[in-house]
Amino acid sequence: MRRTPARRPTMKDIARRAGVSESAVSFALNDRPGVSEATRDRIRRVAEQLGWQPSTAARALSGEGSATIGLVLARPARTLGVESFFLQLVSGVQEVLSHRRLGLLFQVVEDIDAECEVYRRWWAEHRVDGLIVVDPRDDDPRPALLDELGLPAVVVGSTGPAARAAGPAISNIWADDAGAMASIVDHLHGLGHRRIVHIAGLPELAHTQARMASLRAEADRRGLTEARSVTTDYSDAGGAEATRRVLAGDPPPTALVYDNDVMAVAGLAVASERGVPVPDRLSIVAWDDSVLCRATHPALTALTRDTATFGRHAAEQLVALLDGGAAVRIQDDLPSLEPRGSSGPMT
């Protein structure tokens, strides 16, 4: 005979047993003022007798909730299997969630509209307590939607005005993409490069736009009239196709900057097939360092940062929101450039 699963005790059960309101239970269990010490002690004793355990301090007064954090990626699924950034990010997020005994609900969708539909469904089904939101856009519909739904969230990455104007339950953690691009241009310019092409990612993403704008600003400041960006889908195939296209130009670039490690490795292979020696005639820089960058010959110059720690910081900010903290906007460490064999003096 199939057993009925035991029902988890809720704040409503505690309130009924203790003879108090649900608000009083919330105040007592979350160490907030509003109840006497005698009432607080009585509520805690009842909670212990019932075996109640909080999944987060911000659980709704009814006690419902899923002890789960949601993460949706609106990226082409084919680009995720070989890109290390998200794997490292998620590992850092999961480290914090595991410590708090929170689960991670993960889904990949085709576009931002589908992502918003997932949020609405998760909210309606009480599937998640909060969200990690990645790949912010300049004209981003998600912050307003999350405000409407009342879902706490941390937006990871450079944001546009929509996210910066978000409500009291949306935090933001970001790294300075413009500053990172400036360090790359400074490195290449110091090596004598004047024709620099940025093989960028998805053009609608705020961090892509920040990197492109920084390249233009740094090029204008130095009088580099042939520096430009071209956008791709982040895939190895997209990076290879863009590399073939720009290397066929007259004159071709002397330096290429790729928005991820996968495209940079693909670009190095294209240079080899076309007989373009790296770094003698072409320098290559990858945005995110990984074992791929270090395993190539020559090893790829790359921006390095501790992506897992970046993920931990994002998860810590979300846990702080769930514990009743105020939303914050925090700039994380600036990625540092690690020169390797793929970048050299212009000859």
Side-chain angles (χ1 to χ4, degrees):
M1 181 176 178
R2 188 175 181 181
R3 294 180 60 187
T4 302
R7 187 175 69 86
R8 182 172 58 203
T10 68
M11 286 189 179
K12 184 179 292 186
D13 297 328
I14 298 170
R16 186 181 300 113
R17 176 78 66 87
V20 298
S21 69
E22 291 177 51
S23 296
V25 172
S26 178
F27 292 152
L29 296 179
N30 291 320
D31 289 322
R32 295 175 182 169
V35 293
S36 68
E37 284 304 311
T39 299
R40 191 185 305 273
D41 288 343
R42 183 168 81 256
I43 289 171
R44 287 175 173 172
R45 284 197 303 272
V46 169
E48 183 177 356
Q49 291 166 3
L50 293 176
W52 179 85
Q53 291 292 329
S55 61
T56 72
R59 185 172 297 282
L61 291 178
S62 66
E64 297 301 319
S66 57
T68 301
I69 302 306
L71 172 61
V72 180
L73 292 182
R75 290 273 192 105
R78 68 184 184 279
T79 69
L80 298 176
V82 292
E83 188 175 1
S84 64
F85 174 83
F86 280 113
L87 295 177
Q88 295 177 50
L89 184 78
V90 169
S91 72
V93 168
Q94 186 60 43
E95 183 178 337
V96 173
L97 300 187
S98 296
H99 180 71
R100 287 292 295 260
R101 291 188 288 184
L102 294 167
L104 180 64
L105 183 58
F106 176 74
Q107 188 163 339
V108 178
V109 296
E110 284 299 314
D111 54 38
I112 197 74
D113 290 336
E115 181 175 344
C116 289
E117 284 304 312
V118 170
Y119 292 155
R120 292 186 182 96
R121 185 175 73 253
W122 284 353
W123 171 81
E125 296 172 353
H126 302 281
R127 298 287 299 277
V128 297
D129 295 288
L131 296 163
I132 300 285
V133 179
V134 298
D135 288 342
R137 276 82 167 157
D138 267 351
D139 186 17
D140 200 322
R142 294 172 296 177
L145 173 62
L146 298 179
D147 273 347
E148 176 188 332
L149 299 178
L151 277 173
V154 172
V155 179
V156 178
S158 303
T159 58
R164 289 195 291 272
I170 299 181
S171 289
N172 176 218
I173 183 168
W174 59 288
D176 185 2
D177 287 282
M181 177 60 83
S183 71
I184 294 174
V185 176
D186 187 64
H187 171 70
L188 294 173
H189 184 265
L191 293 172
H193 294 280
R194 303 296 180 263
R195 298 194 301 275
I196 302 170
V197 173
H198 169 212
I199 309 296
L202 297 167
E204 65 268 23
L205 303 186
H207 70 253
T208 302
Q209 295 175 18
R211 296 172 190 181
M212 292 168 65
S214 180
L215 176 66
R216 289 194 300 270
E218 294 298 318
D220 290 346
R221 190 164 67 86
R222 294 174 170 85
L224 307 181
T225 59
E226 297 181 78
R228 61 192 177 96
S229 299
V230 296
T231 58
T232 70
D233 64 358
Y234 281 112
S235 70
D236 56 338
E241 190 278 329
T243 303
R244 293 187 183 97
R245 190 168 68 249
V246 299
L247 289 182
D250 185 18
T254 65
L256 297 176
V257 180
Y258 292 87
D259 261 4
N260 67 11
D261 54 343
V262 174
M263 293 196 298
V265 172
L268 180 63
V270 169
S272 177
E273 78 180 26
R274 295 179 64 91
V276 180
V278 175
D280 294 342
R281 284 174 48 201
L282 179 69
S283 285
I284 290 178
V285 178
W287 197 271
D288 283 311
D289 193 18
S290 72
V291 66
L292 290 178
C293 297
R294 299 186 293 274
T296 60
H297 182 74
L300 295 178
T301 294
L303 281 173
T304 66
R305 65 176 168 189
D306 190 338
T307 304
T309 296
F310 191 44
R312 285 197 297 273
H313 291 166
E316 286 165 357
Q317 292 306 318
L318 183 54
V319 168
L321 283 176
L322 295 176
D323 285 343
V328 296
R329 189 166 188 263
I330 296 176
Q331 181 175 340
D332 209 63
D333 295 337
L334 179 71
S336 61
L337 189 67
E338 180 71 26
R340 298 194 182 107
S342 69
S343 61
M346 176 63 187
T347 57

